[in-house]
Amino acid sequence: AQSVTQLGSHVSVSEGALVLLRCNYSSSVPPYLFWYVQYPNQGLQLLLKYTSAATLVKGINGFEAEFKKSETSFHLTKPSAHMSDAAEYFCAVSDQGNDMRFGAGTRLTVKP
Amino acid sequence: DGGITQSPKYLFRKEGQNVTLSCEQNLNHDAMYWYRQDPGQGLRLIYYSQIVNDFQKGDIAEGYSVSREKKESFPLTVTSAQKNPTAFYLCASSIRFRGGRTEAFFGQGTRLTVV
């Protein structure tokens, strides 16, 4: 069965610094991979998704992620953090199953 | 605009009462899901439905019930048997791509508090 592991439940960066949120997946077949963002008391919003086309995927709000099959990773990055990026981020995987599997989430804090 | 609507956004329940959370979608998606979210625990699957009149238990179904009488609607009832119902509840629907892969779309959530 597919699964994802998010390394680090909390990440703190300074405003303007690089954001790196880590996600490793497990899947027996080529997966689709997703990053979602959640602001307090709101639902999850899709940031970006990998669906076996380009390995470098660009999303909203300046985020991007790179699919690395050899490392089974799909890390999320943003060159320069903004205060508005503070939120919870979820990585998710879908292969041939009937549902998606989500990581435990990473809370991003941005310090002024 | 297409989307998923959850109502109400905030809900208060007395101990011992059943309460029903509403979830409606106009995305024409076959599959719908209910997740529970507690601080620091990510998303946990309660129930899901792949098609009308059929649904399956997820990882934490005890104390919950659902129905799927219409494609657009997937209400969740939190029964008095649920020992710790205070949580944030998220409804989602999904589309299926070639090869069986899916992508989920979420509602804005309902925060249930037992008083």
Side-chain angles (χ1 to χ4, degrees), chain A residues 4-22:
Chain A
V4 289
T5 301
Q6 291 184 241
L7 300 176
S9 59
H10 290 90
V11 170
S12 181
V13 301
S14 297
E15 191 173 19
L18 171 71
V19 176
L20 171 60
L21 304 183
R22 299 177 188 272

Side-chain angles (χ1 to χ4, degrees), chain A residues 30 36 38 41 49 94-95, chain B residues 9 37 101-104 111:
Chain A
Y36 288 84
Q38 184 183 34
N41 289 313
K49 62 185 177 185
S94 174
D95 55 25
Chain B
K9 188 168 178 62
Q37 191 174 23
R101 299 165 184 85
T102 62
E103 175 182 342
R111 182 163 296 282

Side-chain angles (χ1 to χ4, degrees), chain B residues 22-96:
Chain B
S22 171
C23 179
E24 303 277 334
Q25 56 104 355
N26 60 5
L27 300 168
N28 200 33
H29 290 168
D30 287 318
M32 297 187 73
Y33 310 81
W34 275 104
Y35 293 91
R36 172 179 171 141
Q37 191 174 23
D38 296 282
Q41 294 198 40
L43 301 175
R44 292 187 289 170
L45 184 63
I46 304 172
Y47 269 98
Y48 64 98
S49 169
Q50 298 291 332
I51 197 169
V52 174
N53 292 323
D54 185 53
F55 48 83
Q56 306 295 328
K57 292 182 178 180
D59 300 321
I60 55 165
E62 185 175 351
Y64 300 97
S65 66
V66 294
S67 62
R68 187 85 187 277
E69 298 177 1
K70 298 187 301 182
K71 186 175 186 178
E72 302 79 18
S73 179
F74 191 41
L76 173 74
T77 297
V78 184
T79 74
S80 57
Q82 169 51 235
K83 297 289 190 290
N84 184 20
T86 295
F88 190 57
Y89 291 87
L90 285 164
C91 179
S93 67
S94 70
I95 57 173
R96 183 171 297 180

Side-chain angles (χ1 to χ4, degrees), chain A residues 23-108:
Chain A
C23 173
N24 288 90
Y25 70 90
S26 172
S27 177
S28 57
V29 298
Y32 285 8
L33 294 158
F34 307 82
W35 276 100
Y36 288 84
V37 61
Q38 184 183 34
Y39 299 100
N41 289 313
Q42 293 190 25
L44 275 66
Q45 177 185 0
L46 182 69
L47 267 181
L48 49 81
K49 62 185 177 185
Y50 166 76
T51 57
S52 73
T55 57
L56 182 62
V57 181
K58 295 187 183 298
I60 61 173
N61 301 339
F63 284 93
E64 63 181 36
E66 187 172 7
F67 173 71
K68 292 187 176 180
K69 184 178 179 180
S70 61
E71 298 178 8
T72 61
S73 69
F74 190 58
H75 302 331
L76 181 71
T77 61
K78 183 174 180 178
S80 176
H82 191 271
M83 297 297 290
S84 62
D85 294 327
E88 184 121 24
Y89 292 80
F90 291 92
C91 182
V93 63
S94 174
D95 55 25
Q96 293 177 325
N98 288 321
D99 57 18
M100 298 172 69
R101 289 292 171 176
F102 291 85
T106 298
R107 181 167 299 280
L108 176 65

